[in-house]
Coordinates of all heavy atoms in Angstrom, one line a residue:
Chain Y
R267 N 21.6 14.6 -34.1 CA 20.4 13.8 -33.7 C 20.8 13.0 -32.5 O 21.4 11.9 -32.6 CB 20.0 12.9 -34.9 CG 18.6 12.3 -34.7 CD 18.1 11.7 -36.0 NE 17.1 10.8 -35.8 CZ 17.2 9.5 -35.5 NH1 18.4 9.0 -35.4 NH2 16.2 8.7 -35.2
L268 N 20.5 13.5 -31.3 CA 21.0 12.8 -30.1 C 19.9 11.9 -29.5 O 18.7 12.2 -29.6 CB 21.3 13.9 -29.1 CG 22.5 14.8 -29.4 CD1 22.6 15.9 -28.3 CD2 23.8 14.0 -29.5
P269 N 20.3 10.8 -28.9 CA 19.4 10.0 -28.3 C 18.8 10.7 -27.0 O 19.5 11.5 -26.4 CB 20.2 8.7 -27.9 CG 21.6 9.2 -27.8 CD 21.7 10.3 -28.8
R270 N 17.6 10.4 -26.7 CA 17.0 10.8 -25.4 C 17.8 10.2 -24.3 O 18.0 8.9 -24.3 CB 15.5 10.4 -25.3 CG 14.6 11.2 -26.1 CD 13.2 10.7 -25.8 NE 12.8 11.2 -24.5 CZ 12.0 12.2 -24.2 NH1 11.5 12.9 -25.2 NH2 11.8 12.5 -22.9
Y271 N 18.1 11.0 -23.3 CA 18.9 10.4 -22.2 C 18.1 9.4 -21.4 O 18.6 8.5 -20.7 CB 19.5 11.5 -21.3 CG 18.5 12.2 -20.5 CD1 18.1 11.8 -19.2 CD2 17.9 13.3 -21.0 CE1 17.2 12.4 -18.4 CE2 16.9 14.0 -20.2 CZ 16.6 13.5 -18.9 OH 15.6 14.2 -18.2
D272 N 16.7 9.6 -21.4 CA 15.9 8.6 -20.7 C 15.2 7.6 -21.6 O 14.4 6.8 -21.2 CB 14.8 9.4 -20.0 CG 14.0 10.4 -20.9 OD1 14.2 10.3 -22.1 OD2 13.1 11.1 -20.4
G273 N 15.6 7.6 -22.9 CA 15.0 6.7 -23.8 C 15.1 5.2 -23.5 O 14.1 4.4 -23.5
V274 N 16.3 4.8 -23.2 CA 16.5 3.4 -22.8 C 15.7 3.0 -21.6 O 15.2 1.9 -21.5 CB 18.0 3.1 -22.7 CG1 18.3 1.6 -22.2 CG2 18.8 3.3 -24.0
A275 N 15.7 3.8 -20.6 CA 14.9 3.5 -19.4 C 13.5 3.4 -19.8 O 12.8 2.5 -19.3 CB 15.1 4.6 -18.4
H276 N 12.9 4.3 -20.6 CA 11.5 4.2 -21.0 C 11.2 2.9 -21.6 O 10.2 2.2 -21.3 CB 11.2 5.3 -21.9 CG 11.0 6.7 -21.3 ND1 11.0 6.9 -19.9 CD2 11.0 7.9 -21.8 CE1 10.9 8.2 -19.6 NE2 10.9 8.8 -20.8
V277 N 12.0 2.5 -22.6 CA 11.6 1.3 -23.4 C 11.9 0.0 -22.7 O 11.5 -1.1 -23.1 CB 12.3 1.3 -24.8 CG1 11.9 2.6 -25.6 CG2 13.8 1.1 -24.7
T278 N 12.6 0.0 -21.6 CA 12.9 -1.2 -20.8 C 12.1 -1.2 -19.5 O 12.3 -2.1 -18.7 CB 14.4 -1.3 -20.5 OG1 14.8 -0.1 -19.8 CG2 15.2 -1.6 -21.7
G279 N 11.2 -0.2 -19.3 CA 10.4 -0.2 -18.1 C 11.2 0.2 -16.8 O 10.7 0.0 -15.7
R280 N 12.4 0.8 -17.0 CA 13.2 1.1 -15.8 C 12.9 2.5 -15.3 O 13.4 2.9 -14.2 CB 14.7 1.1 -16.2 CG 15.2 -0.2 -16.7 CD 15.2 -1.3 -15.6 NE 15.6 -2.6 -16.2 CZ 16.9 -3.1 -16.1 NH1 17.8 -2.4 -15.5 NH2 17.1 -4.2 -16.7
T281 N 12.2 3.4 -16.1 CA 12.0 4.8 -15.6 C 11.1 4.7 -14.3 O 10.1 4.0 -14.3 CB 11.2 5.5 -16.7 OG1 11.9 5.5 -17.9 CG2 11.0 7.0 -16.2
T282 N 11.6 5.4 -13.3 CA 10.9 5.4 -12.0 C 10.0 6.6 -11.9 O 10.5 7.7 -11.6 CB 11.9 5.4 -10.9 OG1 12.8 4.3 -11.0 CG2 11.2 5.2 -9.5
F283 N 8.7 6.4 -12.1 CA 7.7 7.4 -11.8 C 7.4 7.4 -10.4 O 7.8 6.5 -9.6 CB 6.5 7.2 -12.7 CG 6.7 7.3 -14.2 CD1 7.1 6.1 -14.9 CD2 6.6 8.5 -14.8 CE1 7.3 6.2 -16.3 CE2 6.8 8.6 -16.2 CZ 7.2 7.4 -16.9
V284 N 6.7 8.4 -9.9 CA 6.5 8.5 -8.4 C 5.8 7.3 -7.9 O 6.2 6.8 -6.8 CB 5.7 9.8 -8.1 CG1 5.3 9.8 -6.6 CG2 6.5 11.0 -8.5
D285 N 4.8 6.8 -8.6 CA 4.1 5.6 -8.1 C 5.0 4.3 -8.2 O 4.6 3.3 -7.6 CB 2.9 5.4 -9.0 CG 1.9 4.4 -8.4 OD1 1.8 4.3 -7.1 OD2 1.2 3.7 -9.1
D286 N 6.1 4.4 -8.8 CA 7.0 3.2 -8.9 C 8.0 3.2 -7.7 O 8.7 2.2 -7.5 CB 7.8 3.2 -10.2 CG 6.9 3.2 -11.4 OD1 5.8 2.6 -11.3 OD2 7.3 3.7 -12.4
V287 N 8.1 4.3 -6.9 CA 9.0 4.4 -5.8 C 8.4 3.4 -4.7 O 7.2 3.4 -4.4 CB 9.0 5.8 -5.3 CG1 9.8 5.9 -4.0 CG2 9.7 6.7 -6.3
R288 N 9.3 2.6 -4.2 CA 8.9 1.6 -3.2 C 9.5 2.0 -1.8 O 10.7 1.9 -1.6 CB 9.3 0.2 -3.6 CG 8.6 -0.3 -4.9 CD 7.2 -0.7 -4.5 NE 6.3 -0.9 -5.6 CZ 5.5 0.0 -6.0 NH1 5.4 1.2 -5.5 NH2 4.7 -0.3 -7.1
V289 N 8.6 2.3 -0.9 CA 9.1 2.6 0.5 C 8.2 1.7 1.4 O 7.0 1.9 1.5 CB 8.8 4.1 0.8 CG1 9.3 4.4 2.3 CG2 9.6 5.0 -0.1
P290 N 8.8 0.8 2.1 CA 8.1 -0.1 3.0 C 7.3 0.7 4.0 O 7.8 1.7 4.6 CB 9.2 -1.0 3.6 CG 10.3 -1.0 2.7 CD 10.3 0.4 2.0
G291 N 6.1 0.2 4.3 CA 5.3 0.8 5.4 C 4.5 2.0 4.9 O 3.9 2.7 5.7

Side-chain angles (χ1 to χ4, degrees):
Chain Y
R267 190 167 163 273
L268 295 176
R270 288 185 66 104
Y271 71 89
D272 53 5
V274 174
H276 284 347
V277 303
T278 53
R280 303 287 177 101
T281 303
T282 305
F283 295 90
V284 173
D285 194 31
D286 301 329
V287 173
R288 290 283 166 263
V289 179

